[in-house]
Coordinates of all heavy atoms in Angstrom, one line a residue:
M1 N 13.2 12.5 -18.0 CA 12.5 11.4 -17.6 C 11.5 11.6 -16.4 O 11.9 12.2 -15.5 CB 13.5 10.3 -17.3 CG 12.9 9.0 -17.2 SD 14.1 7.7 -17.4 CE 13.6 6.5 -16.3
I2 N 10.4 11.1 -16.5 CA 9.3 11.3 -15.4 C 9.7 10.3 -14.2 O 9.8 9.1 -14.5 CB 8.0 11.0 -15.9 CG1 7.6 12.1 -16.9 CG2 7.0 11.0 -14.8 CD1 6.3 11.9 -17.7
D3 N 9.6 10.9 -13.1 CA 9.7 10.0 -11.8 C 8.4 9.6 -11.4 O 7.7 10.4 -10.7 CB 10.5 10.7 -10.6 CG 10.6 9.8 -9.5 OD1 9.9 8.8 -9.4 OD2 11.5 10.2 -8.6
W4 N 7.8 8.6 -12.0 CA 6.5 8.2 -11.9 C 6.0 8.0 -10.4 O 5.1 8.5 -9.9 CB 6.1 6.9 -12.5 CG 6.0 7.2 -14.1 CD1 7.0 7.1 -15.0 CD2 4.9 7.6 -14.8 NE1 6.5 7.4 -16.3 CE2 5.2 7.7 -16.2 CE3 3.6 7.8 -14.5 CZ2 4.3 8.0 -17.1 CZ3 2.6 8.1 -15.5 CH2 3.0 8.3 -16.8
S5 N 6.9 7.4 -9.6 CA 6.6 7.2 -8.2 C 6.4 8.4 -7.4 O 5.5 8.7 -6.7 CB 7.7 6.3 -7.5 OG 7.4 6.1 -6.2
K6 N 7.4 9.4 -7.7 CA 7.4 10.7 -6.9 C 6.3 11.6 -7.4 O 5.6 12.3 -6.6 CB 8.7 11.3 -6.9 CG 8.8 12.6 -6.3 CD 10.2 13.2 -6.5 CE 10.4 14.6 -5.9 NZ 11.7 15.2 -6.1
N7 N 6.2 11.8 -8.8 CA 5.5 12.8 -9.3 C 4.0 12.4 -9.7 O 3.1 13.3 -9.8 CB 6.1 13.3 -10.6 CG 7.5 14.1 -10.3 OD1 7.6 14.7 -9.3 ND2 8.4 13.7 -11.1
V8 N 3.7 11.2 -9.8 CA 2.4 10.7 -10.2 C 1.7 9.8 -9.1 O 0.6 10.1 -8.6 CB 2.4 10.0 -11.6 CG1 1.0 9.5 -12.0 CG2 3.0 10.9 -12.6
L9 N 2.4 8.7 -8.8 CA 1.8 7.7 -7.9 C 1.7 8.2 -6.4 O 0.6 8.1 -5.8 CB 2.6 6.4 -8.0 CG 2.8 5.8 -9.3 CD1 3.8 4.6 -9.3 CD2 1.5 5.4 -9.9
A10 N 2.7 8.8 -5.8 CA 2.6 9.2 -4.5 C 1.6 10.3 -4.3 O 0.8 10.2 -3.4 CB 4.0 9.9 -4.1
P11 N 1.4 11.3 -5.3 CA 0.4 12.3 -5.1 C -1.1 11.6 -5.2 O -2.0 12.0 -4.4 CB 0.5 13.3 -6.2 CG 2.0 13.3 -6.5 CD 2.4 11.8 -6.3
C12 N -1.2 10.7 -6.0 CA -2.5 9.9 -6.1 C -2.8 9.2 -4.8 O -3.9 9.2 -4.3 CB -2.5 9.0 -7.3 SG -2.6 9.7 -8.9
Q13 N -1.8 8.6 -4.3 CA -2.0 7.9 -2.9 C -2.3 8.9 -1.9 O -3.1 8.6 -1.1 CB -0.7 7.1 -2.5 CG -0.5 5.9 -3.4 CD -1.5 4.8 -3.3 OE1 -2.2 4.8 -2.3 NE2 -1.5 3.9 -4.1
D14 N -1.7 10.1 -1.9 CA -2.0 11.2 -0.9 C -3.4 11.6 -1.0 O -4.0 11.8 0.0 CB -1.1 12.4 -1.1 CG 0.4 12.1 -0.7 OD1 0.7 11.0 -0.1 OD2 1.3 12.9 -1.2
V15 N -4.0 11.6 -2.1 CA -5.4 12.1 -2.3 C -6.4 11.0 -2.1 O -7.4 11.1 -1.3 CB -5.6 12.8 -3.6 CG1 -7.0 13.1 -3.9 CG2 -4.7 14.0 -3.8
F16 N -6.2 9.8 -2.8 CA -7.2 8.7 -2.8 C -6.8 7.5 -2.0 O -7.7 6.7 -1.7 CB -7.4 8.2 -4.3 CG -7.8 9.3 -5.2 CD1 -6.9 9.8 -6.1 CD2 -9.0 9.9 -5.1 CE1 -7.2 10.8 -7.0 CE2 -9.5 10.9 -6.0 CZ -8.6 11.3 -7.0
G17 N -5.7 7.5 -1.4 CA -5.2 6.3 -0.7 C -5.8 6.2 0.7 O -6.2 7.3 1.2
E18 N -5.7 5.1 1.3 CA -6.1 5.0 2.7 C -5.0 4.1 3.4 O -4.3 3.3 2.8 CB -7.5 4.4 2.9 CG -7.6 2.9 2.3 CD -9.0 2.4 2.4 OE1 -9.2 1.7 3.5 OE2 -9.9 2.5 1.5
P19 N -4.9 4.3 4.8 CA -3.9 3.5 5.5 C -4.2 2.0 5.5 O -5.4 1.6 5.8 CB -3.9 4.1 6.9 CG -5.0 5.1 6.9 CD -5.7 5.1 5.7
M20 N -3.2 1.2 5.3 CA -3.3 -0.3 5.3 C -2.1 -0.8 6.0 O -1.1 -0.1 6.0 CB -3.4 -0.8 3.9 CG -4.7 -0.3 3.2 SD -5.0 -1.2 1.6 CE -6.4 -0.3 1.1
V21 N -2.1 -2.1 6.3 CA -0.9 -2.8 6.8 C -0.7 -4.0 5.9 O -1.7 -4.7 5.6 CB -1.1 -3.3 8.2 CG1 0.2 -4.0 8.7 CG2 -1.4 -2.0 9.2
F22 N 0.6 -4.2 5.4 CA 0.8 -5.4 4.6 C 1.6 -6.5 5.4 O 2.5 -6.2 6.2 CB 1.8 -4.9 3.4 CG 1.9 -5.9 2.3 CD1 0.8 -5.9 1.4 CD2 2.9 -6.7 2.2 CE1 0.9 -6.8 0.4 CE2 3.0 -7.6 1.1 CZ 2.0 -7.7 0.2
Y23 N 1.2 -7.7 5.2 CA 1.7 -8.9 5.9 C 2.3 -9.8 4.9 O 1.5 -10.7 4.3 CB 0.5 -9.5 6.7 CG -0.1 -8.7 7.8 CD1 -1.3 -8.1 7.5 CD2 0.5 -8.5 9.0 CE1 -1.8 -7.2 8.4 CE2 -0.1 -7.7 10.0 CZ -1.3 -7.1 9.7 OH -1.9 -6.2 10.6
P24 N 3.5 -9.7 4.5 CA 4.1 -10.7 3.6 C 4.1 -12.1 4.1 O 4.3 -12.1 5.3 CB 5.5 -10.0 3.3 CG 5.8 -9.1 4.4 CD 4.5 -8.7 5.0
A25 N 4.0 -13.0 3.3 CA 4.1 -14.3 3.7 C 5.4 -14.7 4.5 O 5.5 -15.4 5.4 CB 3.9 -15.3 2.6
K26 N 6.5 -13.9 4.1 CA 7.8 -14.0 4.7 C 8.3 -12.6 5.0 O 8.4 -11.8 4.1 CB 8.8 -14.8 3.8 CG 8.5 -16.2 3.7 CD 9.5 -16.9 2.7 CE 9.1 -18.4 2.7 NZ 10.1 -19.1 1.8
G27 N 8.6 -12.3 6.2 CA 9.1 -11.0 6.5 C 8.3 -10.2 7.5 O 7.2 -10.7 7.9
Q28 N 8.6 -9.0 7.8 CA 7.9 -8.1 8.7 C 6.8 -7.4 8.1 O 6.8 -7.0 6.9 CB 8.9 -7.2 9.4 CG 9.9 -7.7 10.3 CD 9.3 -8.4 11.5 OE1 8.4 -7.9 12.1 NE2 9.9 -9.6 11.9
S29 N 5.7 -7.2 8.8 CA 4.5 -6.3 8.3 C 5.0 -4.9 8.3 O 6.0 -4.5 9.0 CB 3.4 -6.6 9.3 OG 3.6 -6.0 10.5
F30 N 4.3 -4.1 7.5 CA 4.6 -2.7 7.4 C 3.4 -1.9 6.9 O 2.5 -2.5 6.2 CB 5.8 -2.4 6.4 CG 5.6 -3.0 5.0 CD1 5.0 -2.2 4.1 CD2 5.9 -4.2 4.8 CE1 4.8 -2.6 2.8 CE2 5.8 -4.7 3.4 CZ 5.2 -3.9 2.5
P31 N 3.3 -0.6 7.3 CA 2.2 0.2 6.9 C 2.4 0.7 5.4 O 3.6 0.9 5.0 CB 2.2 1.4 7.8 CG 3.6 1.5 8.2 CD 4.2 0.1 8.2
F32 N 1.3 1.0 4.7 CA 1.4 1.5 3.4 C 0.1 2.2 3.0 O -0.9 2.0 3.7 CB 1.8 0.5 2.3 CG 0.6 -0.5 2.0 CD1 -0.1 -0.3 0.7 CD2 0.3 -1.6 2.8 CE1 -1.2 -1.2 0.4 CE2 -0.8 -2.5 2.5 CZ -1.5 -2.2 1.3
S33 N 0.0 2.9 2.0 CA -1.2 3.6 1.5 C -1.6 2.8 0.3 O -0.8 2.6 -0.7 CB -0.9 5.0 1.2 OG -2.1 5.6 0.7
G34 N -3.0 2.6 0.1 CA -3.6 1.9 -1.0 C -4.8 2.5 -1.4 O -5.6 3.0 -0.6
I35 N -5.1 2.4 -2.8 CA -6.4 2.9 -3.3 C -7.2 1.7 -3.5 O -7.1 0.9 -4.4 CB -6.1 3.6 -4.6 CG1 -5.3 4.9 -4.3 CG2 -7.5 4.2 -5.2 CD1 -4.7 5.6 -5.6
F36 N -8.2 1.5 -2.6 CA -9.0 0.3 -2.5 C -10.2 0.5 -3.4 O -10.9 1.5 -3.5 CB -9.5 0.1 -1.1 CG -10.2 -1.2 -0.9 CD1 -9.5 -2.4 -0.7 CD2 -11.7 -1.2 -0.8 CE1 -10.1 -3.6 -0.6 CE2 -12.3 -2.5 -0.8 CZ -11.5 -3.6 -0.5
D37 N -10.6 -0.7 -4.1 CA -11.8 -0.8 -4.8 C -12.4 -2.0 -4.5 O -12.0 -3.2 -4.7 CB -11.4 -0.7 -6.3 CG -12.6 -0.7 -7.3 OD1 -13.7 -0.9 -6.9 OD2 -12.4 -0.5 -8.5
N38 N -13.7 -1.9 -3.9 CA -14.3 -3.1 -3.4 C -15.0 -4.0 -4.5 O -15.3 -5.1 -4.4 CB -15.5 -2.7 -2.5 CG -16.0 -3.9 -1.6 OD1 -15.2 -4.6 -1.1 ND2 -17.4 -4.0 -1.5
A39 N -15.1 -3.3 -5.8 CA -15.9 -4.0 -6.9 C -15.1 -3.8 -8.2 O -15.7 -3.2 -9.1 CB -17.2 -3.5 -6.9
F40 N -13.8 -4.1 -8.3 CA -13.1 -4.0 -9.5 C -13.7 -5.0 -10.5 O -14.0 -6.1 -10.2 CB -11.6 -4.4 -9.2 CG -10.8 -4.4 -10.5 CD1 -10.3 -3.2 -11.1 CD2 -10.4 -5.6 -11.1 CE1 -9.5 -3.2 -12.2 CE2 -9.7 -5.5 -12.3 CZ -9.2 -4.4 -12.8
K41 N -14.0 -4.4 -11.7 CA -14.6 -5.2 -12.7 C -13.6 -5.6 -13.8 O -12.8 -4.8 -14.3 CB -15.8 -4.5 -13.3 CG -17.0 -4.3 -12.3 CD -18.1 -3.6 -13.1 CE -19.3 -3.5 -12.3 NZ -19.2 -3.1 -11.0
E42 N -13.8 -6.9 -14.2 CA -12.9 -7.4 -15.4 C -13.9 -8.2 -16.2 O -14.8 -8.7 -15.8 CB -11.8 -8.3 -14.8 CG -10.8 -8.7 -15.8 CD -9.6 -9.4 -15.1 OE1 -9.8 -10.3 -14.3 OE2 -8.5 -8.9 -15.4
F43 N -13.5 -8.2 -17.5 CA -14.4 -8.9 -18.5 C -13.5 -9.8 -19.4 O -13.3 -9.6 -20.5 CB -15.0 -7.8 -19.5 CG -15.9 -6.8 -18.7 CD1 -15.5 -5.7 -18.3 CD2 -17.3 -7.2 -18.4 CE1 -16.3 -4.7 -17.6 CE2 -18.1 -6.4 -17.8 CZ -17.7 -5.1 -17.3
P44 N -13.2 -10.9 -18.7 CA -12.4 -11.9 -19.5 C -13.2 -12.7 -20.4 O -14.4 -12.7 -20.3 CB -11.8 -12.9 -18.4 CG -12.8 -12.6 -17.3 CD -13.4 -11.3 -17.3
M45 N -12.6 -13.2 -21.5 CA -13.4 -14.0 -22.5 C -13.4 -15.5 -21.9 O -12.5 -16.0 -21.4 CB -12.6 -14.1 -23.7 CG -12.5 -12.8 -24.4 SD -14.1 -12.1 -25.0 CE -14.1 -12.7 -26.6
S46 N -14.7 -16.0 -22.1 CA -14.9 -17.4 -21.7 C -14.3 -18.3 -22.8 O -13.9 -17.9 -23.8 CB -16.3 -17.7 -21.5 OG -17.0 -17.8 -22.8
E47 N -14.3 -19.6 -22.5 CA -13.8 -20.5 -23.4 C -14.6 -20.6 -24.6 O -14.3 -21.2 -25.6 CB -13.6 -21.9 -22.8 CG -15.0 -22.5 -22.3 CD -14.8 -23.8 -21.5 OE1 -14.6 -23.8 -20.3 OE2 -15.0 -24.8 -22.2
Y48 N -15.9 -20.0 -24.5 CA -16.8 -20.1 -25.6 C -16.8 -18.8 -26.5 O -17.6 -18.5 -27.4 CB -18.2 -20.3 -25.2 CG -18.3 -21.6 -24.4 CD1 -18.5 -21.6 -23.0 CD2 -18.2 -22.8 -25.0 CE1 -18.5 -22.7 -22.4 CE2 -18.3 -24.0 -24.3 CZ -18.4 -23.9 -22.9 OH -18.5 -25.1 -22.2
G49 N -15.9 -17.9 -26.1 CA -15.7 -16.6 -26.9 C -16.6 -15.5 -26.4 O -16.6 -14.5 -27.1
T50 N -17.2 -15.6 -25.3 CA -18.1 -14.6 -24.8 C -17.5 -14.0 -23.6 O -16.7 -14.6 -22.9 CB -19.4 -15.1 -24.4 OG1 -19.3 -16.1 -23.4 CG2 -20.2 -15.6 -25.6
E51 N -17.8 -12.6 -23.4 CA -17.2 -12.0 -22.2 C -18.1 -12.4 -20.8 O -19.2 -12.6 -21.0 CB -17.3 -10.4 -22.3 CG -16.3 -9.9 -23.3 CD -16.3 -8.4 -23.3 OE1 -17.2 -7.8 -22.9 OE2 -15.4 -7.9 -23.9
V52 N -17.3 -12.5 -19.8 CA -17.9 -12.9 -18.5 C -17.5 -11.8 -17.5 O -16.4 -11.6 -17.3 CB -17.4 -14.3 -18.1 CG1 -18.1 -14.7 -16.7 CG2 -17.7 -15.3 -19.1
A53 N -18.5 -11.0 -17.0 CA -18.2 -10.0 -16.0 C -17.8 -10.6 -14.7 O -18.5 -11.5 -14.1 CB -19.3 -9.1 -15.9
T54 N -16.7 -10.2 -14.2 CA -16.1 -10.7 -12.9 C -15.9 -9.5 -11.9 O -15.3 -8.6 -12.4 CB -14.9 -11.6 -13.1 OG1 -15.1 -12.5 -14.0 CG2 -14.4 -12.1 -11.7
T55 N -16.3 -9.6 -10.7 CA -16.0 -8.5 -9.8 C -15.3 -9.0 -8.6 O -15.7 -10.1 -8.1 CB -17.3 -7.8 -9.3 OG1 -18.4 -8.2 -10.0 CG2 -17.2 -6.4 -9.3
Y56 N -14.3 -8.3 -8.1 CA -13.6 -8.7 -6.9 C -12.9 -7.5 -6.3 O -12.8 -6.4 -7.0 CB -12.5 -9.8 -7.1 CG -11.9 -9.7 -8.4 CD1 -10.9 -8.8 -8.8 CD2 -12.3 -10.7 -9.4 CE1 -10.4 -8.8 -10.0 CE2 -11.7 -10.6 -10.7 CZ -10.7 -9.8 -11.0 OH -10.1 -9.7 -12.2
P57 N -12.6 -7.6 -5.0 CA -11.8 -6.4 -4.4 C -10.4 -6.4 -4.9 O -9.8 -7.4 -5.4 CB -11.8 -6.8 -2.9 CG -12.0 -8.2 -2.8 CD -12.8 -8.6 -4.0
A58 N -9.9 -5.1 -5.0 CA -8.5 -4.9 -5.5 C -8.1 -3.6 -4.8 O -8.7 -2.8 -4.3 CB -8.5 -4.7 -7.1
V59 N -6.7 -3.5 -4.8 CA -6.0 -2.3 -4.3 C -4.9 -1.9 -5.2 O -4.1 -2.7 -5.6 CB -5.6 -2.5 -2.7 CG1 -4.5 -3.6 -2.7 CG2 -5.2 -1.2 -2.1
G60 N -4.8 -0.6 -5.4 CA -3.7 0.0 -6.2 C -2.6 0.5 -5.2 O -2.9 1.1 -4.3
V61 N -1.4 0.1 -5.6 CA -0.3 0.5 -4.6 C 0.9 1.0 -5.4 O 1.0 0.8 -6.6 CB 0.2 -0.8 -3.9 CG1 -0.8 -1.4 -3.1 CG2 0.8 -1.8 -4.8
N62 N 1.6 1.9 -4.7 CA 2.9 2.3 -5.2 C 4.0 1.5 -4.7 O 4.2 1.3 -3.5 CB 3.1 3.9 -4.7 CG 4.4 4.5 -5.1 OD1 5.2 3.8 -5.8 ND2 4.5 5.7 -4.8
L63 N 4.7 0.8 -5.6 CA 5.7 -0.3 -5.3 C 6.8 0.4 -4.5 O 7.6 -0.3 -3.9 CB 6.2 -1.0 -6.5 CG 5.0 -2.0 -7.1 CD1 5.5 -2.5 -8.5 CD2 4.6 -3.0 -6.1
A64 N 7.1 1.6 -4.7 CA 8.1 2.3 -3.9 C 8.0 2.2 -2.4 O 8.9 2.4 -1.6 CB 8.3 3.8 -4.3
E65 N 6.7 2.0 -2.0 CA 6.5 1.8 -0.5 C 6.8 0.4 0.0 O 6.6 0.0 1.2 CB 4.9 2.1 -0.2 CG 4.6 3.5 -0.4 CD 3.2 3.8 0.1 OE1 2.9 3.6 1.3 OE2 2.4 4.3 -0.7
F66 N 7.1 -0.6 -1.0 CA 7.3 -1.9 -0.6 C 8.8 -2.4 -0.7 O 9.5 -2.0 -1.6 CB 6.5 -2.9 -1.6 CG 5.0 -2.8 -1.4 CD1 4.3 -1.7 -1.7 CD2 4.5 -3.9 -0.9 CE1 2.9 -1.7 -1.5 CE2 3.0 -3.9 -0.7 CZ 2.3 -2.7 -1.0
P67 N 9.3 -3.0 0.4 CA 10.7 -3.4 0.3 C 11.0 -4.5 -0.7 O 12.1 -4.5 -1.2 CB 10.9 -4.0 1.8 CG 9.6 -4.3 2.4 CD 8.7 -3.4 1.6
K68 N 9.9 -5.2 -1.0 CA 10.1 -6.3 -2.1 C 8.6 -6.4 -2.8 O 7.6 -6.1 -2.1 CB 10.5 -7.6 -1.7 CG 9.7 -8.2 -0.7 CD 10.4 -9.6 -0.2 CE 9.4 -10.2 0.8 NZ 9.9 -11.5 1.2
P69 N 8.6 -6.8 -4.0 CA 7.2 -6.8 -4.7 C 6.2 -7.8 -4.0 O 6.7 -8.8 -3.4 CB 7.6 -7.4 -6.0 CG 9.0 -7.1 -6.2 CD 9.7 -7.1 -4.9
P70 N 5.0 -7.4 -4.0 CA 3.9 -8.2 -3.3 C 3.9 -9.5 -4.1 O 4.0 -9.5 -5.3 CB 2.6 -7.3 -3.4 CG 3.0 -6.0 -3.9 CD 4.4 -6.0 -4.4
L71 N 3.5 -10.6 -3.4 CA 3.4 -11.9 -4.1 C 2.0 -12.5 -3.7 O 1.4 -12.2 -2.7 CB 4.5 -12.9 -3.5 CG 5.9 -12.5 -3.8 CD1 6.8 -13.4 -3.0 CD2 6.2 -12.4 -5.2
Q72 N 1.6 -13.4 -4.6 CA 0.4 -14.1 -4.2 C 0.6 -14.8 -2.8 O 1.5 -15.4 -2.6 CB 0.2 -15.3 -5.4 CG -1.0 -16.0 -5.2 CD -1.2 -17.1 -6.2 OE1 -0.3 -17.4 -7.1 NE2 -2.4 -17.5 -6.4
G73 N -0.5 -14.7 -2.1 CA -0.4 -15.3 -0.7 C -0.1 -14.4 0.4 O -0.4 -14.6 1.6
D74 N 0.5 -13.3 0.1 CA 0.6 -12.0 1.1 C -0.7 -11.6 1.5 O -1.8 -11.8 0.8 CB 1.5 -11.0 0.5 CG 2.9 -11.3 0.2 OD1 3.4 -12.4 0.7 OD2 3.6 -10.6 -0.6
Q75 N -0.8 -11.0 2.6 CA -2.0 -10.5 3.2 C -2.0 -9.0 3.4 O -0.9 -8.5 3.5 CB -2.5 -11.2 4.4 CG -2.8 -12.7 4.1 CD -3.4 -13.4 5.3 OE1 -3.6 -12.8 6.4 NE2 -3.8 -14.6 5.1
L76 N -3.1 -8.4 3.5 CA -3.2 -6.9 3.9 C -4.5 -6.7 4.7 O -5.4 -7.4 4.6 CB -3.1 -6.1 2.7 CG -4.2 -6.2 1.7 CD1 -5.3 -5.1 2.0 CD2 -3.7 -5.7 0.3
K77 N -4.3 -5.6 5.5 CA -5.5 -5.2 6.3 C -5.9 -3.8 6.0 O -5.0 -2.9 6.1 CB -5.2 -5.3 7.8 CG -6.5 -5.0 8.7 CD -6.3 -5.4 10.1 CE -5.4 -4.5 11.0 NZ -5.4 -4.8 12.4
R78 N -7.2 -3.6 5.8 CA -7.7 -2.1 5.6 C -7.9 -1.6 7.0 O -8.7 -2.2 7.8 CB -9.1 -2.1 4.9 CG -9.0 -2.2 3.5 CD -10.3 -2.1 2.8 NE -10.8 -0.7 2.8 CZ -12.0 -0.3 2.4 NH1 -12.9 -1.3 2.2 NH2 -12.3 1.0 2.3
Q79 N -7.1 -0.6 7.4 CA -7.3 -0.1 8.7 C -8.7 0.5 9.0 O -9.2 0.5 10.2 CB -6.2 1.2 9.0 CG -4.8 0.7 8.8 CD -4.4 -0.2 10.0 OE1 -4.8 -1.3 10.0 NE2 -3.7 0.5 11.0
S80 N -9.4 1.1 8.0 CA -10.7 1.7 8.2 C -11.8 0.7 8.6 O -12.8 1.0 9.2 CB -11.1 2.5 7.0 OG -11.3 1.6 5.8
T81 N -11.7 -0.6 8.1 CA -12.6 -1.6 8.3 C -12.1 -2.8 9.2 O -13.0 -3.5 9.7 CB -13.1 -2.1 7.0 OG1 -12.1 -2.8 6.3 CG2 -13.8 -1.1 6.1
G82 N -10.8 -3.0 9.3 CA -10.3 -4.1 9.9 C -10.4 -5.4 9.1 O -10.0 -6.5 9.6
K83 N -10.9 -5.3 7.9 CA -11.0 -6.5 7.0 C -9.6 -6.9 6.5 O -8.8 -6.1 6.2 CB -11.9 -6.3 5.8 CG -13.3 -6.2 6.3 CD -14.2 -5.9 5.1 CE -15.7 -5.8 5.6 NZ -16.7 -5.7 4.5
I84 N -9.4 -8.3 6.5 CA -8.2 -8.9 6.0 C -8.4 -9.5 4.6 O -9.4 -10.1 4.4 CB -7.7 -10.0 7.0 CG1 -7.5 -9.5 8.5 CG2 -6.4 -10.7 6.4 CD1 -6.4 -8.6 8.7
Y85 N -7.5 -9.3 3.7 CA -7.5 -9.8 2.4 C -6.3 -10.5 2.1 O -5.2 -10.1 2.5 CB -7.8 -8.7 1.3 CG -9.0 -8.0 1.5 CD1 -9.1 -6.8 2.3 CD2 -10.2 -8.3 0.8 CE1 -10.4 -6.1 2.6 CE2 -11.4 -7.6 1.0 CZ -11.5 -6.6 1.9 OH -12.6 -5.8 2.0
V86 N -6.3 -11.5 1.2 CA -5.2 -12.2 0.7 C -4.9 -11.8 -0.8 O -5.9 -11.6 -1.5 CB -5.2 -13.7 0.8 CG1 -6.3 -14.3 0.0 CG2 -3.9 -14.4 0.5
V87 N -3.7 -11.6 -1.2 CA -3.3 -11.3 -2.5 C -3.6 -12.5 -3.4 O -2.9 -13.5 -3.3 CB -1.9 -10.7 -2.7 CG1 -1.6 -10.5 -4.2 CG2 -1.7 -9.5 -1.8
R88 N -4.5 -12.4 -4.3 CA -4.8 -13.4 -5.3 C -3.9 -13.4 -6.5 O -3.4 -14.4 -6.9 CB -6.3 -13.4 -5.7 CG -6.7 -14.6 -6.6 CD -8.0 -14.5 -6.9 NE -8.2 -14.0 -8.2 CZ -9.4 -13.7 -8.8 NH1 -10.5 -13.7 -8.1 NH2 -9.4 -13.4 -10.1
E89 N -3.7 -12.1 -7.0 CA -2.8 -11.9 -8.1 C -2.3 -10.6 -8.1 O -3.0 -9.5 -8.2 CB -3.6 -12.2 -9.4 CG -2.9 -11.9 -10.7 CD -3.7 -12.1 -11.9 OE1 -4.9 -12.5 -11.8 OE2 -3.2 -11.8 -13.0
P90 N -1.0 -10.4 -8.0 CA -0.3 -9.1 -8.2 C -0.2 -8.8 -9.7 O 0.5 -9.6 -10.3 CB 1.0 -9.2 -7.4 CG 1.2 -10.7 -7.5 CD 0.0 -11.4 -7.6
R91 N -0.5 -7.5 -10.0 CA -0.3 -7.1 -11.4 C 0.4 -5.8 -11.4 O -0.1 -4.7 -11.2 CB -1.6 -6.9 -12.1 CG -2.5 -8.2 -12.2 CD -3.8 -7.9 -12.9 NE -4.7 -9.0 -12.9 CZ -5.8 -9.0 -13.5 NH1 -6.4 -7.9 -13.9 NH2 -6.6 -10.0 -13.4
S92 N 1.8 -5.9 -11.7 CA 2.6 -4.7 -11.7 C 2.6 -4.2 -13.1 O 2.5 -4.8 -14.1 CB 4.0 -4.9 -11.1 OG 4.6 -5.9 -12.0
D93 N 2.9 -2.8 -13.2 CA 3.1 -2.2 -14.6 C 4.4 -1.7 -14.7 O 5.3 -1.9 -13.8 CB 2.1 -1.1 -14.8 CG 2.2 0.1 -13.8 OD1 3.3 0.2 -13.3 OD2 1.2 0.9 -13.7
S94 N 4.7 -1.0 -15.7 CA 6.1 -0.6 -16.1 C 6.3 0.9 -15.5 O 7.4 1.5 -15.8 CB 6.3 -0.5 -17.5 OG 5.5 0.5 -18.1
H95 N 5.5 1.3 -14.7 CA 5.7 2.7 -14.0 C 5.8 2.7 -12.6 O 5.8 3.8 -11.9 CB 4.5 3.6 -14.4 CG 4.4 3.8 -15.9 ND1 5.3 4.4 -16.6 CD2 3.4 3.4 -16.8 CE1 5.0 4.6 -17.9 NE2 3.8 3.9 -18.1
G96 N 6.0 1.6 -11.9 CA 6.1 1.5 -10.5 C 4.9 1.3 -9.6 O 5.0 1.4 -8.5
S97 N 3.8 0.9 -10.2 CA 2.6 0.6 -9.4 C 2.1 -0.7 -9.7 O 2.6 -1.5 -10.7 CB 1.5 1.7 -9.8 OG 1.0 1.4 -11.1
A98 N 1.2 -1.2 -8.8 CA 0.7 -2.5 -9.0 C -0.8 -2.5 -8.6 O -1.2 -1.8 -7.7 CB 1.5 -3.5 -8.1
L99 N -1.6 -3.4 -9.3 CA -2.9 -3.6 -8.9 C -2.9 -5.0 -8.2 O -2.5 -5.9 -8.9 CB -3.9 -3.6 -10.1 CG -5.3 -3.8 -9.7 CD1 -5.9 -2.7 -8.9 CD2 -6.2 -4.0 -11.0
L100 N -3.2 -5.0 -7.0 CA -3.3 -6.3 -6.3 C -4.7 -6.8 -6.3 O -5.6 -6.3 -5.7 CB -2.9 -6.2 -4.8 CG -1.4 -5.5 -4.6 CD1 -1.2 -5.4 -3.1 CD2 -0.4 -6.3 -5.4
I101 N -5.0 -7.9 -7.0 CA -6.3 -8.6 -7.1 C -6.4 -9.3 -5.7 O -5.6 -10.2 -5.4 CB -6.5 -9.4 -8.2 CG1 -6.2 -8.7 -9.5 CG2 -7.9 -10.1 -8.3 CD1 -7.1 -7.5 -9.7
L102 N -7.6 -9.2 -5.0 CA -7.6 -9.7 -3.6 C -8.9 -10.7 -3.5 O -9.7 -10.8 -4.2 CB -7.9 -8.5 -2.6 CG -6.9 -7.4 -2.7 CD1 -7.5 -6.3 -1.8 CD2 -5.5 -7.8 -2.2
N103 N -8.7 -11.5 -2.4 CA -9.8 -12.4 -1.9 C -10.0 -12.0 -0.4 O -9.0 -11.9 0.3 CB -9.5 -13.8 -2.0 CG -9.6 -14.4 -3.4 OD1 -10.3 -13.9 -4.2 ND2 -8.8 -15.4 -3.7
Y104 N -11.3 -11.8 -0.1 CA -11.6 -11.5 1.4 C -11.3 -12.8 2.2 O -11.5 -13.9 1.8 CB -13.0 -11.2 1.4 CG -13.6 -11.1 2.8 CD1 -13.3 -9.9 3.6 CD2 -14.3 -12.0 3.4 CE1 -13.8 -9.8 4.8 CE2 -14.8 -12.0 4.7 CZ -14.5 -10.8 5.4 OH -15.0 -10.6 6.6
V105 N -10.7 -12.5 3.4 CA -10.3 -13.6 4.3 C -11.3 -13.5 5.6 O -11.9 -14.4 5.9 CB -8.9 -13.5 4.7 CG1 -8.6 -14.5 5.8 CG2 -7.9 -13.6 3.5
R106 N -11.3 -12.3 6.2 CA -12.1 -12.2 7.4 C -12.1 -10.7 7.9 O -11.3 -9.9 7.5 CB -11.6 -13.1 8.5 CG -10.2 -12.7 9.1 CD -9.7 -13.6 10.2 NE -8.5 -13.2 10.6 CZ -7.2 -13.5 10.1 NH1 -7.3 -14.1 9.0 NH2 -6.1 -13.1 10.6
G107 N -12.9 -10.5 8.9 CA -12.9 -9.1 9.5 C -14.2 -8.5 9.3 O -15.1 -8.7 8.7

């Protein structure tokens, strides 16, 4: 059985990740590594059956670095820019990673 966190996700974070700080709505802040994307694109269907392109910031994370799963309303800070984001929607997968859809707050 593949240890996705150890053999896949952690090496990806080592290469592509950047230092960040996570601020859960409840609990202590902690450092983590995230793969940031300033313009994540999604193409949801509109109510009229047409695709609508949407772009927003997002960060890929290894859930093994988190004491509990990220929730909507939690915040994070990119160390490289000092910008603060709030988690709009956490999307976890079955391999131990999550894509956090973000909204810009300040910084």
